[in-house]
Amino acid sequence: MNSMLNWAGESAEAEPLVRASRHFPATIGRFDDRADRAVINGLVQWVEERYREDLLKRPSKHVYVRTLPGSVIDQIDRLRNGPLIRSLIAAKVPAGSVLAPMKHTDELYVSHYNKDRGGDQGLFDRHYDGNLRFLPGSVVVRALIYLQSDATYKVVFHDSKVEKAFATYDFGLLDFHRELHWVEGQYNPADRQRILLKCNYLVTPHGSALLGRAALAANTGVFYVVKAAMEYSKSPRTPPQVVVGFLCNLFRRLNNIHPLIPLALIAAIIAAFGWSIGRLLT
């Protein structure tokens, strides 16, 4: 394939300088290889044993893959580093692009349809996963790997005009910052448990090492801040959690309009707070 990516750590000296696509179209795939399915089945069994109590609770649960046991990470690597996902990404980006797996942000996700105005409600409402779609040159591709799921929920990828009710062994690729999407369905405790992997890949043009480092730093910083706020405020019980959950949902809606609006609002709040402190001290 002439558009195969240069995997992180591989040489790209002979490749031409190209510009990364502005939008990665949502792409659907499925693990049909027996070896891959055996890996998935083993991971599901491990999750069901390790997180038995969490599977019975309504709030969603995210666990960073890097915090899992080494043997489990090795099995996840077989899926997220495998040729199936790699080739599908390569087919939709310019030839010679450089792909850097963002493994430090990858997550194991136990998904519960949980609309209670908390921080994780945005996982199901209309939303962009990220808010850096104004950054030029780079694309973050997210892989949603369904280790276990039935087809009772439909994911709508608005910008790509793609819809899919994901089942076990399916996966979807989407543009982390530029794909407006949401989940349609109704919570049913009898549904099969949805267990996913969320794996992220940064794609930049060859010869743009500085751009790649800057994009990686920006994506990592925003990712951790937003994720911490969402985790803190899911199924809120205390007044601070309610406030943070409200802000998460407010900023998500503003980001749907334009990504600079929530950033401008934060800057205005900080400026107003600083002005007030200054007035008190004078």
Side-chain angles (χ1 to χ4, degrees), residues 95-251:
S97 298
V98 176
L99 184 146
M102 299 173 60
K103 291 186 176 183
H104 56 292
T105 65
D106 290 355
E107 299 168 286
L108 172 68
Y109 172 38
V110 175
S111 174
H112 290 150
Y113 200 76
N114 192 35
K115 289 195 172 185
D116 57 5
R117 300 182 182 179
D120 61 349
Q121 178 167 322
L123 298 169
F124 305 98
D125 287 344
R126 290 173 177 257
H127 69 286
Y128 295 94
D129 281 337
N131 64 344
L132 299 178
R133 58 187 182 275
F134 55 86
L135 291 181
S138 65
V139 173
V140 174
V141 178
R142 163 164 281 184
L144 302 175
I145 302 173
Y146 285 74
L147 303 180
Q148 180 174 276
S149 177
D150 58 22
T152 55
Y153 294 118
K154 179 174 68 175
V155 182
V156 179
F157 302 101
H158 174 75
D159 295 276
S160 298
K161 304 297 188 291
V162 173
E163 299 180 359
K164 174 65 177 177
F166 289 96
T168 300
Y169 307 129
D170 288 338
F171 66 87
L173 305 177
L174 70 149
D175 193 313
F176 186 84
H177 294 295
R178 302 181 179 95
E179 186 72 54
L180 182 66
H181 60 289
W182 61 89
V183 176
E184 294 181 353
Q186 183 99 26
Y187 174 71
N188 182 351
D191 285 344
R192 196 175 191 188
Q193 180 63 55
R194 297 173 73 229
I195 303 173
L196 295 78
L197 294 173
K198 293 182 174 182
C199 302
N200 305 307
Y201 310 84
L202 177 67
V203 182
T204 54
H206 167 59
S208 302
L210 182 60
L211 168 66
R213 287 194 291 269
L216 183 61
N219 278 280
T220 299
V222 172
F223 181 91
Y224 282 140
V225 170
V226 173
K227 181 59 63 176
M230 291 176 61
E231 284 294 303
Y232 173 75
S233 61
K234 65 183 182 183
S235 293
R237 295 180 178 85
T238 66
Q241 289 174 328
V242 171
V243 170
V244 175
F246 170 79
L247 291 175
C248 284
N249 288 294
L250 173 62
F251 289 158

Side-chain angles (χ1 to χ4, degrees), residues 22-45:
R22 287 292 300 167
H23 175 257
F24 182 93
T27 305
I28 308 302
R30 183 171 178 83
F31 289 100
D32 290 322
D33 184 82
R34 286 187 178 182
D36 290 336
R37 292 195 171 193
V39 169
I40 290 173
N41 294 339
L43 287 171
V44 169
Q45 182 178 1

